[in-house]
Amino acid sequence: MEIEIIDQPIRFQLHGLSSSVENHCYGEVGCRLMDEMWKVVKDAKLKTIGINHWVYFAHDQMFVGVEVRDAAQTAIPGQLESCECELRRYAKHVHIGPYHELPQKWQSLRAALAARGESITMPSLEVYGHSCEGEDESKAETTILLGLKAKNS
């Protein structure tokens, strides 16, 4: 399993919806938020980069959003929340395969990073490039970004 450790900050300015997650049902909550978000985005005719970001926060909170092109000059509908998140140091892994394999992949990533002496922090993200509806889901690509604690210099 290929895991890249990146010591350069990455920042996302997203617009979308958030929710608490009960019973670790992240997939169900995320899909519901994504469907609601895209309805608002399409109704408002917002120009986006078309990439879904699922952001996982501490205490079972999550945010699903998208980057809006020219967001500063665009009227963002009131239903959409703004979320700016930054990972100062993080692990990156590209999962290729069905979405239902993601929970197991997260467990494997956590174990592999712990074995390397890394400590995971929040937030962490899943970044989806496109919908696989009607396509072969075994080829779906999901970029997983896990926030990591800074290493002492």
Side-chain angles (χ1 to χ4, degrees):
M1 176 169 44
E2 188 174 324
I3 304 171
E4 182 181 3
I5 305 293
I6 301 172
D7 287 306
Q8 300 263 336
I10 188 170
R11 177 177 287 160
F12 299 95
Q13 180 62 51
L14 306 170
H15 292 87
L17 301 170
S18 65
S19 178
S20 58
V21 179
E22 293 184 22
N23 301 317
H24 302 284
C25 295
Y26 289 97
E28 292 170 25
V29 173
C31 285
R32 176 181 54 79
L33 292 173
M34 193 170 61
D35 290 345
E36 291 173 15
M37 176 206 60
W38 278 111
K39 180 176 180 352
V40 174
V41 166
K42 288 178 181 177
D43 288 349
K45 297 180 174 55
L46 294 178
K47 291 185 175 124
T48 71
I49 64 168
I51 297 175
N52 295 308
H53 296 71
W54 289 24
V55 185
Y56 300 95
F57 293 102
H59 311 294
D60 295 318
Q61 296 291 314
M62 77 180 296
F63 177 90
V64 173
V66 67
E67 291 181 87
V68 175
R69 293 179 198 241
D70 301 320
Q73 291 81 31
T74 302
I76 306 294
Q79 303 99 301
L80 297 182
E81 303 164 33
S82 179
C83 175
E84 184 172 320
C85 68
E86 179 180 70
L87 302 176
R88 301 197 64 56
R89 182 171 183 273
Y90 60 99
K92 177 181 179 181
H93 172 76
V94 178
H95 168 74
I96 299 174
Y99 300 130
H100 72 268
E101 293 177 356
L102 286 168
Q104 180 58 47
K105 180 61 64 126
W106 279 81
Q107 283 185 338
S108 299
L109 288 167
R110 284 187 192 103
L113 289 166
R116 291 186 187 185
E118 297 287 352
S119 296
I120 297 172
T121 64
M122 294 294 185
S124 292
L125 294 92
E126 288 174 351
V127 182
Y128 301 87
H130 65 286
S131 169
C132 277
E133 218 170 286
E135 297 176 30
D136 183 354
E137 193 180 314
S138 69
K139 297 177 183 168
E141 287 188 22
T142 306
T143 302
I144 299 172
L145 306 174
L146 295 109
L148 298 175
K149 285 190 179 173
K151 286 286 187 186
N152 295 333
S153 306

